[in-house]
Amino acid sequence: MLDIKLIRENPEKINELLKRRNPELSIDKVLEIDVERRKIQTQADELRAKRKNDSQKIGLMKKNGENTDTIQEEVRKLGDEIKNLEDKQTELDEKQRDILLHTPNIPDETTPVGLSEDDNVVISSWGEPRKFNFEYKAHWDLCEAKNIVDFERGVKISQSRFTLYRGKGSRLERAIINFFLDYHTEIQGYEEILPPFMANASTMTGTGQLPKFKEDMYKCVDEDLYLIPTAEVPVTNIYSGEILSEDDLPKYMTAYTPCFRRESGSAGRDTRGLIRVHQFNKVELVKLCTPQTSKEEHEKLTEDAEKMLQLLELPYRRVALSTGDIGFSANKCWDLEVWMPSYNAYKEISSCSNFGDYQARRANIRYRNKETGKTEFVHTINGSGLAVGRTFAAIVENFQQEDGSIVIPEVLRKYTGFDKI
């Protein structure tokens, strides 16, 4: 959530940055409400002061044996007026908060300005896309031929865009998860977390999924619980409502979870295979840090995710998302895109975002500054150590052989127990 103090002090700048995302965005309505609620606050404070003064007079008058009926009636009326003003202020507070909850983060000054994904900027690339000297297969065809993913029965059990892994496919998926977790914890220094796979509305609001993206969520009937769309939600909110010591920062956390997304706005996109599904596995990276180290920690987290692709020997590129494509809560985002032969293109496999204090302000995650003794909001950083299903698909496509077999990347073989499928 944007800082109301920052909005008051820099309205033109905030509007200018928001319009980089979308020309129709504005915080003008927030300011209108803020002016009205502060005016009411002043009126209420003045009436409270008068009520206090009159109440003191009543005490003196009673002491002197004077009649206090008239002044007591005035004090009662003052109480009614104050209550009305407080109710109106509460209404305005809720209205202002609702607008702020629906307002995205302001982009970082270095985020490329653009209207859509077409304006994203390729920053770097690693590895060379493989050139095949035989007719290769898309992962959905090869997975079915090898009986490692059963797309048809996954749909029968659930509905479209739900998948069923089988045999060596199940083992490969599990191997990728274990490899990511082991490397993130043993080499890169993250604490492993196994969070609940369901979160309440407050938790979903803390990271920005609610209220804006309610239609994309799977909600339990008659329960204040949602299936999580990413481990970012429960892991970031571990410290919601808490004040951390600066010595506790930065915090590095990683978590495997299944993820659930209705993807209501993506009808017709990537309908085949494992690229865009309603349930998928992911290993997430989450950091909490001070504002001073935020940009550095964002870069390090991105490099940690890149290292996974390098070890798997999968060609990829790093892309800076434009203001028209960046996530709702993020101010800066690097996408890692892996080469997919079936698309003859790179496909997003990891988004590494810096949220600044936007999520921390919503979730009320603070730390005590050692130098000033004051509390400040932490910065939150998040990135998928890679979407596991997309990694699975990329391995199948990039490591297929002319005889129809799939070679397992060397770093995964101790987890799978086999070197090819």
Side-chain angles (χ1 to χ4, degrees), residues 210-253:
L210 291 180
K212 178 71 172 178
F213 302 105
K214 187 175 183 178
E215 296 305 311
D216 284 333
M217 303 297 113
Y218 285 101
K219 187 181 189 306
C220 297
V221 177
D222 299 327
E223 291 273 3
D224 180 31
L225 287 173
Y226 294 79
L227 293 172
I228 62 170
T230 164
E232 167 199 338
V233 175
V235 175
T236 302
N237 278 279
I238 289 172
Y239 297 100
S240 63
E242 296 186 27
I243 300 174
L244 303 171
S245 164
E246 187 174 347
D247 291 333
D248 291 333
L249 300 175
K251 284 190 177 295
Y252 291 14
M253 296 170 284

Side-chain angles (χ1 to χ4, degrees), residues 126-128 306 308-317 337-339 349 386 390-392 394-396 398-399 409:
W126 185 94
E128 291 293 328
E306 286 184 288
M308 300 297 97
L309 289 168
Q310 293 168 11
L311 290 170
L312 290 169
E313 301 179 72
L314 291 171
Y316 72 92
R317 66 185 187 182
E337 300 179 341
V338 69
W339 176 254
I349 197 169
L386 305 179
R390 295 189 181 196
T391 304
F392 183 107
I395 289 170
V396 169
N398 284 281
F399 287 89

Side-chain angles (χ1 to χ4, degrees), residues 35 46 308:
V35 169
E46 289 173 352
M308 300 297 97

